[in-house]
Amino acid sequence: MNKCPVCGSSEFIYDEYSGTVYCAKCGYVLSEHEIDKGPEWRGVDKNGRSLSRASPVSVSSPGFNMYVNIVSISRPKFKIIPSLSLFNSSERNVMMLRSIAKQVIANAGLPESILDEVVLNYRLLTKMNYRGKIKETAVALVYIACKKRNLPCTMKDLLRNSDVDIKGFNKAYMRIANLMNIKGIYNDEQLINMTLRIINMINVNSNIKHRLMLLIRNMIDKGKAASLFNGKTFASSIAAMVYLSLLIYNIKIRQKEIASIAGVTDVTIRNRYNELLKRLNFRITI
């Protein structure tokens, strides 16, 4: 065919990727799925970028699991559908969360593979009618993913690499933990290490440190049995246990000092401390 049957133009454009020939003037499609009779295409272009024709779709990709019609072709004219909004509000939120989480992960030096887990968990939360601020939700989901993989990243590290405050983070984290029934994103080693980290920063002798560790181990066991750590950052609960143990041994220290070492606020320690007194029924023999 030498001329376009619609406008009579003799200028055509060949799309080598789709094998489509269409009119350069009116856009009429003359043929589809044309076979390229030239040499086989290379695996990369001149800039070294991959020319793979297909690749696995990541769950973190915008529009994942969506089907969108862009154009419709009818004979004998090429019909263009008016501009459509490709993503609904839910997908736009996914795109925003993905962008924020990706930046936090990069700033904290975490593996990129976390991103897929973060986005997948957010999609699950939206199906549970979760409502929360995007920034705080993104940081909380990154934190949860790190703890599940036992990656060396603390809440303080993530907050330092984002503009989210600790109050907003805790609010989002607790909502997510309750909805997803998150239990045990910590392990015993993490709990003991946090305990040692706080106690070693306090000026007490080795004998008292040993007694404090025994007492706090007992509190940790009872706290796990009472689901005390569920829906809360374990650092705040451990800090409250350390504070309570110091009071039991008549060692005076301000809540603010413990909070600074644990990377939480003194208000949080006060809340966890009051919760400990109400929920843990234990006896102390000195």
Side-chain angles (χ1 to χ4, degrees):
M1 186 179 295
N2 297 324
K3 291 185 179 182
C4 175
V6 177
C7 68
S9 173
S10 59
E11 296 181 4
F12 307 115
I13 297 176
Y14 171 64
D15 185 346
E16 61 181 4
Y17 294 102
S18 63
T20 303
V21 178
Y22 57 94
C23 178
K25 185 175 181 181
C26 69
Y28 177 75
V29 178
L30 287 92
S31 62
E32 299 178 87
H33 309 298
E34 286 284 330
I35 299 176
D36 185 358
K37 298 179 181 179
E40 177 60 25
W41 54 276
R42 298 174 60 207
V44 295
D45 62 12
K46 62 182 181 180
N47 295 320
R49 293 175 298 188
S50 174
L51 294 177
S52 299
R53 295 180 180 178
S55 60
V57 179
S58 169
V59 295
S60 66
S61 300
F64 174 76
N65 210 25
M66 291 181 63
Y67 298 89
V68 182
N69 291 324
I70 307 300
V71 298
S72 175
I73 300 175
S74 60
R75 297 294 187 265
K77 294 183 178 180
F78 183 80
K79 183 180 179 182
I80 301 178
I81 294 178
S83 177
L84 300 175
S85 176
L86 302 183
F87 304 110
N88 55 30
S89 60
S90 177
E91 283 301 313
R92 285 195 293 270
N93 287 340
V94 170
M95 292 174 65
M96 291 175 59
L97 177 129
R98 184 182 186 278
S99 177
I100 295 169
K102 186 176 182 179
Q103 187 64 44
V104 172
I105 289 170
N107 291 343
L110 299 169
E112 294 182 2
S113 58
I114 291 179
L115 186 59
D116 284 349
E117 183 177 345
V118 168
V119 175
L120 179 60
N121 284 337
Y122 181 70
R123 291 185 188 278
L124 293 174
L125 286 171
T126 56
K127 293 179 181 179
M128 301 177 193
N129 297 320
Y130 170 80
R131 295 291 182 273
K133 294 182 178 180
I134 296 296
K135 288 183 179 181
E136 285 78 356
T137 301
V139 177
L141 287 174
V142 171
Y143 177 76
I144 289 171
C146 288
K147 293 307 175 186
K148 283 185 177 179
R149 300 185 181 199
N150 289 325
L151 294 176
C153 183
T154 65
M155 175 187 63
K156 196 171 182 179
D157 294 331
L158 294 179
L159 295 180
R160 190 186 303 116
N161 290 289
S162 67
D163 57 354
V164 174
D165 59 38
I166 190 170
K167 183 177 181 181
F169 171 87
N170 285 334
K171 188 174 182 181
Y173 175 82
M174 291 182 67
R175 284 182 179 177
I176 293 170
N178 289 330
L179 278 176
M180 298 182 67
N181 195 27
I182 294 176
K183 296 179 180 180
I185 63 172
Y186 52 84
N187 54 45
D188 289 341
E189 183 180 357
Q190 289 174 313
L191 298 178
I192 297 303
N193 286 343
M194 177 59 71
T195 304
L196 288 171
R197 175 184 168 189
I198 297 174
I199 290 178
N200 287 335
M201 295 292 289
I202 300 171
N203 186 23
V204 292
N205 62 52
S206 58
N207 183 40
I208 294 297
K209 284 183 180 180
H210 177 69
R211 293 189 180 187
L212 289 173
M213 283 300 303
L214 292 177
L215 177 56
I216 295 170
R217 279 178 180 269
N218 186 26
M219 290 184 185
I220 288 174
D221 291 338
K222 290 182 178 294
K224 288 163 62 178
S227 300
L228 188 68
F229 298 99
N230 293 351
K232 300 177 181 66
T233 56
F234 69 84
S236 60
S237 297
I238 292 296
M241 289 179 179
V242 172
Y243 179 71
L244 177 58
S245 301
L246 291 170
L247 292 183
I248 291 173
Y249 280 94
N250 199 28
I251 300 173
K252 296 181 180 180
I253 188 171
R254 294 187 302 170
Q255 292 178 350
K256 194 170 184 178
E257 293 180 45
I258 301 293
S260 178
I261 298 171
V264 297
T265 66
D266 52 338
V267 176
T268 302
I269 288 185
R270 194 176 305 121
N271 292 336
R272 297 290 85 78
Y273 169 77
N274 290 330
E275 189 176 6
L276 281 173
L277 294 179
K278 291 179 181 178
R279 297 182 61 180
L280 296 189
N281 182 23
F282 57 88
R283 295 180 180 179
I284 307 298
T285 302
I286 302 178

